[in-house]
Amino acid sequence: MATDTRDDAGWPVPPRPPEGVVMWNINTTCNYRCSYCTQRFLDDRTRWARDTPRFLEGFRRLPGRWEVKLSGGEPFLHPTLMDIVAGLAEMGHHVSVVTNFSAGIEKLDRFLEAAGAALRVFSASLHREYVATEQEETAFIEKARHVMTRLPPGASFHVTCVATRANLPVLPELVQRFAAAGIRLKVQPEKQQRDVIAYTAGEQAQILALGGHNGLGMIAPSFQGRPCWAGAYAFTLDDRGAAWRCYPARRYRQEYLGNFLDGTFALRETAQPCQYAYCNCTVPIERGMMTRS
Ligand code: SF4
Ligand code: SF4
């Protein structure tokens, strides 16, 4: 890794990222109830970020250009999704989205139009408890092709699927079916009680053969003790404006960065050691924000 500094523990500090990433859960609302959903124990699954103008003001105050990754719940159910996306694009930020892909073509087109050239990553989740038949799978692929042919330069599209024990046997064939349609399908290990389930060695080998967690070649990444730019160039934001360093920080209710809406939000200035045994923050990992080796 290209670096010229080391932290106090001797770990190389990754280069300062060129662009920050916000992982914003804009709602808890979802039209699905997947058996493996990590949010299914939330008290309230009807919440959504209500004050769009104040959130947009918060994004306007961020230093430089950021990629805002919208997820939920299901972001396409948010009543002002198009205003949010158009507002972020207008102020020069990038927009990415993670969706269960149940939205219709008309709504997807409106999203693509609102994002325009600002779109960076479109991630469609294939939930086989809801897309179960051959016909439903074909319709999913056709919709994916529709979106892919309308992506702006520099944007990418992929599909993810959770490697439940029910899905594992069919995943290799699914990956091939999607690849034949020009679509990359990445697998995600199943989590229960916030941690990756106890896969057998054989199941782990199957997941690794499919690329590991989101194609990262690992099942449960860990960077504990190593420097990471999350908190300075990445943070999670919820529908109420609460910001944490990353998903594990939010899970353990530590490394709170303040509230985006009430003036208490503050970014860190440096990379700091990771405090967590399990990192499920794909976006910072893909952007090289932590020391990987
Ligand atoms: S689509 Fe996503 S948010 Fe909705 S229930 Fe399934 S895993 Fe949870
Ligand atoms: S869990 Fe991941 S994103 Fe969070 S501080 Fe550790 S390495 Fe960084």
Side-chain angles (χ1 to χ4, degrees):
M1 181 177 292
T3 180
D4 52 11
T5 53
R6 289 183 177 264
D7 72 358
D8 294 345
W11 286 106
V13 178
R16 192 174 279 272
E19 181 177 303
V21 186
V22 188
M23 298 163 278
W24 185 17
N25 296 87
I26 62 173
N27 55 8
T28 62
T29 319
C30 189
N31 51 329
Y32 287 179
R33 287 291 179 272
C34 304
S35 63
Y36 44 78
C37 181
T38 51
Q39 298 184 37
R40 68 185 188 283
F41 298 114
L42 285 178
D43 293 338
D44 183 357
R45 294 207 61 184
T46 61
R47 287 178 5 215
W48 50 280
R50 288 171 189 268
D51 201 338
T52 298
R54 275 175 75 209
F55 270 103
L56 288 177
E57 270 318 302
F59 289 114
R60 202 179 290 280
R61 283 194 295 271
L62 288 175
R65 174 179 251 189
W66 287 65
E67 174 188 350
V68 182
K69 190 195 85 170
L70 305 168
S71 63
E74 170 46 41
F76 276 83
L77 296 181
H78 194 287
T80 67
L81 175 67
M82 306 309 164
D83 297 337
I84 290 169
V85 170
L88 291 169
E90 179 270 326
M91 65 183 79
H93 293 316
H94 280 135
V95 177
S96 293
V97 71
V98 178
T99 169
N100 66 22
F101 216 39
S102 59
I105 292 287
E106 186 268 336
K107 204 175 215 181
L108 292 169
D109 283 346
R110 279 198 287 130
F111 171 85
L112 292 169
E113 193 180 326
L119 184 62
R120 185 148 183 216
V121 180
F122 194 115
S123 175
S125 311
L126 175 68
H127 295 294
R128 295 190 70 253
E129 292 171 1
Y130 291 88
V131 182
T133 65
E134 169 83 19
Q135 203 177 14
E136 287 165 342
E137 223 173 86
T138 301
F140 188 102
I141 289 174
E142 281 170 6
K143 201 153 67 167
R145 295 287 315 161
H146 176 90
V147 171
M148 286 171 76
T149 55
R150 286 159 179 77
L151 292 181
S156 66
F157 179 95
H158 67 255
V159 172
T160 64
C161 186
V162 175
T164 60
R165 291 199 162 98
N167 284 345
L168 259 181
V170 299
L171 275 171
E173 198 182 313
L174 260 185
V175 168
Q176 279 186 10
R177 180 168 188 206
F178 276 75
I183 303 165
R184 179 156 186 221
L185 190 154
K186 303 180 188 181
V187 302
Q188 298 178 333
E190 179 180 354
K191 284 181 280 179
Q192 292 289 351
Q193 305 298 335
R194 298 165 171 174
D195 285 314
V196 172
I197 63 170
Y199 287 112
T200 64
E203 290 165 343
Q204 288 182 28
Q206 281 178 275
I207 294 171
L208 287 172
L210 293 164
H213 174 83
N214 275 341
L216 293 168
M218 300 175 265
I219 292 179
S222 178
F223 311 104
Q224 195 166 20
R226 304 182 196 178
C228 173
W229 284 104
Y233 284 90
F235 63 93
T236 66
L237 186 64
D238 73 9
D239 57 288
R240 297 186 276 213
W244 277 272
R245 184 184 188 191
C246 59
Y247 284 124
R250 180 160 90 190
R251 185 188 317 150
Y252 294 110
R253 292 290 189 266
Q254 57 191 41
E255 301 196 271
Y256 183 57
L257 302 179
N259 192 289
F260 213 54
L261 304 178
D262 69 7
T264 57
F265 172 75
L267 288 165
R268 293 175 172 177
E269 292 181 0
T270 57
Q272 292 180 15
C274 169
Q275 301 187 25
Y276 310 99
Y278 167 45
C279 174
N280 61 332
C281 299
T282 303
V283 178
I285 297 174
E286 284 176 338
R287 283 148 190 77
M289 292 201 188
M290 65 287 288
T291 301
R292 289 183 60 171
S293 57

